[in-house]
Amino acid sequence: MNVRAAAAAISLFASAYAQTISPPGQPSTSDAPLGQFKIVGNSIASAQQLFLGTLDKVYIVDKVENNPAKINGHPAWASEYSISKNSGRPMDIVTNTFCAGGTVLGNGTWLNVGGNQAVTTGGVAASSQNGGGVYDDPDGGKSLINPCDDSSCEWTLTADMSTRRWYPTLETLDDGSAIVLGGCLWGGYVNDASQDNPTWEIFPPTGDGPIHSDILANTLPANLYPLTWILPSGKLLVQSNWKTVLLDYKKKQETPLDDMLDAVRVYPASGGTAMLPLTPDNNYTATILFCGGSNLQPDQWKTNWDIAQFNASTSCVRLTPDQSSSYVEDDALPEGRSMGNLILLPNGKILMLNGAQTGTAGYGTENWAINESYADNPVLMPIMYDPSAPQGKRWSRDGLSPSTIPRMYHSSATLLPDGSVFVSGSNPHADYAVDNVKFPTEYRVEYFYPSYYNQRRPEPKGILSSLSYGGSYFNVTLTKDDLFGDVNNIKNTQVIVLRTGFSTHTMNMGQRMLQLGSTYTGDSEGSTTLHVNQMPPNPATFPPGPALVFVVVNGVPSVGVQVMVGNGKIGKQPTADVATLPTSAITSTGSSNSSSDGSGDNVAQSHHKSDADGLHGSMSSFAAVVVTGLVSWTMLASLL
């Protein structure tokens, strides 16, 4: 029996119990303007918040304002945008979702939590919080949506949650529930003690109620949208103003780390942030990148001076919190940037786009404001970060071109399954404003096309529709065409799991990327098999829920397919030992001889085979529910 046949036999048992996804095809266009932005459609509602709900639908959420599109007698404050058609439809979100947060749960349910009181024109508080008036927008949210592909999804109502949260952060936990952190009661440019909500809680509710947080209580006034990630240790990194802690949410304990360097990164300084890719080479160790923001001190967060012309920071720093309590300097940006999004690409690089060179997030009527905007001098040029490059050479603009649209406060962006980036939004105004303003309310949708976009994409066969934590490996086959005519390209092929996250206010909450361990068996004259481990047997490395899987050959990703990570339920996730992979080898045709590089001893593996229980049933589609505004924990929990 040759090497390929032996390897196939080893994983036959596993593949018999797993359901695979149809191979992805090619993008709809092969002549995209590489390194450039292209205007493709209209978002209908201005994209203050957005997320990729299905392979074809981006869901857009706005605040209550006078958008031109109407639905059921009032302006549309939400929309569903079809990627395949580059058009959308208005949705009746009903209530005021201004500055909410969001994430996806382990069962595929999208949450959108928090929001503002009912308002009338100009963002002024309405006389009634129960509806009526010009906009007829009840207080704070109370809405549900099932993202789907048949244009039948609409928002429905539920009841209030127990505490107001405006500008909260959400992060999915290792059991598929979500932690909801911080926020304030009534909003404003920055927070203050009279309305601070320095607490966190779990959804679905655990019965503990809101838990006090020292870091959120002690970092006024810039403590809104605290920057939060779950780490492989199971603890949470929480960064607010200049302070940083590790939060053990199970023990309800905070452990201080060193202060942030150089600049405030949290809203409204709004630096770009992202967790770098988790890979076998870095032993799935989390490192967080923070770039830009503003070096304003606590006593400078006042609107009695010209904030819009204050230079944003050029600083970038890294923190590896499970290993060190200290930040380290990284390569600086070529210009200061506030409100710049960091978007993970499947080739391992990170795109930074949007934002401004001076000022911060926020708007107001001060005489120094730029037609209400607290920022000026938009940064139209994107820039690419390579985390694997040596320090001093990580940022590059080679082959990149600027956008023509300033993306200021209330802009958003997300990766799409074809590897392009969806960009929309910008509205530094209390209400709809397009006439005689420097930065109008924006509805134009752009796609940004990375350098790999026009290349023939791999079409892998055998990707599982659900991935377990540990368990038997699975086989993915690639043809000679998928390997660009050279079987040796299999040596530079990766299987990537990527969650695009919930985009708002320069954050992509829940965005995360992980490379699965793999080896290969190749034939010098034909196709090749990748032997791929499932997820590391630690759900904290990549919390359960829907994600995209890409197979990347020499930096060129396949079109992403949607899979379920974990068992599709909220609760403790089953884990199993990681299967030992075959040693990598390429066999010469007509010969029993093969070359091996010994890469079966991958750091992502243990030396134990899993049992069949490591494989979970498949979920090829996900019933997803989005909860917007001041959501009722009790009522919504009964729906899950």
Side-chain angles (χ1 to χ4, degrees):
M1 183 180 291
N2 63 29
V3 175
R4 174 184 288 176
I10 291 172
S11 64
L12 182 61
F13 179 76
S15 62
Y17 285 89
Q19 183 173 351
T20 60
I21 294 176
S22 297
Q26 300 296 313
S28 58
T29 181
S30 59
D31 59 352
L34 298 181
Q36 300 179 44
F37 297 83
K38 181 180 180 181
I39 299 171
V40 296
N42 185 300
S43 63
I44 300 175
S46 191
Q48 180 186 118
Q49 307 161 49
L50 60 82
F51 63 91
L52 178 70
T54 75
L55 291 175
D56 187 56
K57 297 297 191 297
V58 173
Y59 289 88
I60 293 169
V61 180
D62 197 1
K63 61 183 170 67
V64 168
E65 58 184 337
N66 195 25
N67 290 321
K70 302 295 188 290
I71 187 169
N72 292 339
H74 64 77
W77 306 312
S79 64
E80 177 190 74
Y81 190 90
S82 169
I83 302 165
S84 61
K85 298 178 181 177
N86 277 323
S87 63
R89 66 181 181 93
M91 303 185 75
D92 193 358
I93 204 168
V94 181
T95 51
N96 194 359
T97 55
F98 187 16
C99 297
T103 194
V104 68
L105 300 179
N107 63 355
T109 297
W110 282 91
L111 286 179
N112 183 346
V113 176
N116 189 18
Q117 62 185 317
V119 298
T120 185
T121 53
V124 177
S127 57
S128 169
Q129 293 297 301
N130 298 314
V134 175
Y135 288 153
D136 190 21
D137 59 314
D139 181 18
K142 312 174 186 176
S143 303
L144 296 174
I145 183 174
N146 287 310
C148 58
D149 282 325
D150 62 2
S151 298
S152 67
C153 310
E154 287 297 346
W155 295 85
T156 57
L157 298 180
T158 184
D160 293 346
M161 65 183 182
S162 59
T163 180
R164 299 184 64 88
R165 295 192 188 274
W166 195 3
Y167 305 95
T169 297
L170 277 73
E171 173 73 342
T172 308
L173 299 176
D174 47 349
D175 65 353
S177 64
I179 189 169
V180 185
L181 303 99
C184 61
L185 302 182
W186 306 105
Y189 176 49
V190 290
N191 204 356
D192 62 79
S194 68
Q195 62 160 339
D196 191 23
N197 190 349
T199 67
W200 57 267
E201 56 190 307
I202 305 297
F203 179 83
T206 60
D208 290 339
I211 307 299
H212 176 81
S213 168
D214 287 341
I215 187 175
L216 297 181
N218 296 330
T219 51
L220 289 169
N223 72 346
L224 300 175
Y225 280 137
L227 301 169
T228 305
W229 295 263
I230 189 169
L231 304 171
S233 63
K235 297 178 181 178
L236 292 145
L237 177 70
V238 182
Q239 204 285 314
S240 179
N241 210 335
W242 295 93
K243 299 296 181 181
T244 311
V245 301
L246 285 180
L247 169 62
D248 187 329
Y249 76 93
K250 295 176 182 177
K251 295 182 179 179
K252 304 178 178 63
Q253 294 177 351
E254 294 180 5
T255 302
L257 304 182
D258 292 356
D259 284 356
M260 172 60 71
L261 299 177
D262 304 332
V264 176
R265 318 292 178 165
V266 75
Y267 169 87
S270 298
T273 59
M275 180 183 287
L276 301 185
L278 298 158
T279 70
D281 286 344
N282 62 32
N283 201 26
Y284 299 113
T285 302
T287 295
I288 315 299
L289 177 68
F290 304 80
C291 285
S294 178
N295 65 356
L296 292 175
Q297 299 301 312
D299 61 354
Q300 292 181 290
W301 291 107
K302 300 174 182 177
T303 57
N304 58 359
W305 62 286
D306 191 353
I307 294 170
Q309 301 308 319
F310 186 81
N311 286 330
S313 176
T314 62
S315 162
C316 289
V317 297
R318 291 187 183 198
L319 179 66
T320 306
D322 282 338
Q323 292 186 348
S324 172
S325 64
S326 300
Y327 291 89
V328 296
E329 298 282 356
D330 205 338
D331 294 2
L333 297 167
E335 66 275 307
R337 191 184 305 231
S338 174
M339 301 178 287
N341 288 83
L342 290 176
I343 304 297
L344 300 174
L345 301 180
N347 65 356
K349 296 182 179 181
I350 303 175
L351 173 70
M352 190 175 203
L353 72 174
N354 299 345
Q357 193 167 342
T358 61
T360 70
Y363 60 79
T365 57
E366 291 79 7
N367 59 10
W368 51 262
I370 312 301
N371 309 122
E372 295 186 281
S373 174
Y374 284 1
D376 199 4
N377 300 301
V379 183
L380 300 176
M381 274 291 293
I383 191 166
M384 198 73 72
Y385 179 87
D386 185 350
S388 65
Q391 191 159 2
K393 298 182 178 180
R394 289 174 179 157
W395 289 107
S396 173
R397 281 187 165 136
D398 292 346
L400 304 183
S401 299
S403 172
T404 59
I405 304 174
R407 298 292 185 181
M408 307 294 279
Y409 186 39
H410 292 154
S411 300
S412 296
T414 189
L415 179 74
L416 295 180
D418 67 358
S420 64
V421 178
F422 182 104
V423 188
S424 196
S426 187
N427 185 26
H429 302 284
D431 207 328
Y432 169 78
V434 295
D435 296 324
N436 303 313
V437 293
K438 186 174 182 179
F439 306 119
T441 305
E442 270 295 345
Y443 303 93
R444 286 175 289 179
V445 173
E446 293 174 292
Y447 291 167
F448 173 83
Y449 296 98
S451 59
Y452 53 69
Y453 191 85
N454 287 342
Q455 296 193 56
R456 194 266 185 195
R457 304 298 188 87
E459 297 182 347
K461 297 179 181 179
I463 297 174
L464 299 183
S465 58
S466 63
L467 297 174
S468 61
Y469 293 103
S472 301
Y473 71 84
F474 60 99
N475 286 332
V476 172
T477 59
L478 295 165
T479 67
K480 191 173 183 179
D481 287 342
D482 295 330
L483 297 172
F484 305 108
D486 185 353
V487 70
N488 289 296
N489 284 332
I490 195 64
K491 299 175 182 178
N492 191 24
T493 297
Q494 301 170 341
V495 180
I496 298 298
V497 185
L498 199 155
R499 181 166 293 145
T500 54
F502 178 96
S503 179
T504 189
H505 287 75
T506 314
M507 302 172 291
N508 286 68
M509 299 180 191
Q511 181 182 221
R512 184 173 297 234
M513 175 175 164
L514 183 145
Q515 177 190 343
L516 298 177
S518 63
T519 60
Y520 55 84
T521 302
D523 185 321
S524 60
E525 297 298 324
S527 60
T528 302
T529 300
L530 277 176
H531 315 294
V532 187
N533 277 137
Q534 303 209 39
M535 303 296 289
N538 172 11
T541 59
F542 197 109
L548 299 177
V549 170
F550 299 87
V551 175
V552 184
V553 179
N554 267 359
V556 179
S558 66
V559 172
V561 296
Q562 193 173 43
V563 307
M564 178 61 80
V565 175
N567 64 1
K569 300 176 182 178
I570 298 173
K572 184 177 181 180
Q573 297 294 301
T575 62
D577 291 335
V578 179
T580 300
L581 299 177
T583 298
S584 291
I586 296 178
T587 303
S588 298
T589 302
S591 170
S592 60
N593 296 327
S594 65
S595 62
S596 169
D597 64 10
S599 60
D601 296 327
N602 190 303
V603 294
Q605 305 167 40
S606 70
H607 297 285
H608 303 281
K609 294 182 180 180
S610 70
D611 56 37
D613 291 338
L615 289 168
H616 299 305
S618 65
M619 290 185 63
S620 57
S621 63
F622 311 113
V625 181
V626 177
V627 184
T628 303
L630 299 179
V631 182
S632 165
W633 299 140
T634 303
M635 181 174 291
L636 185 59
S638 69
L639 297 174
L640 298 179

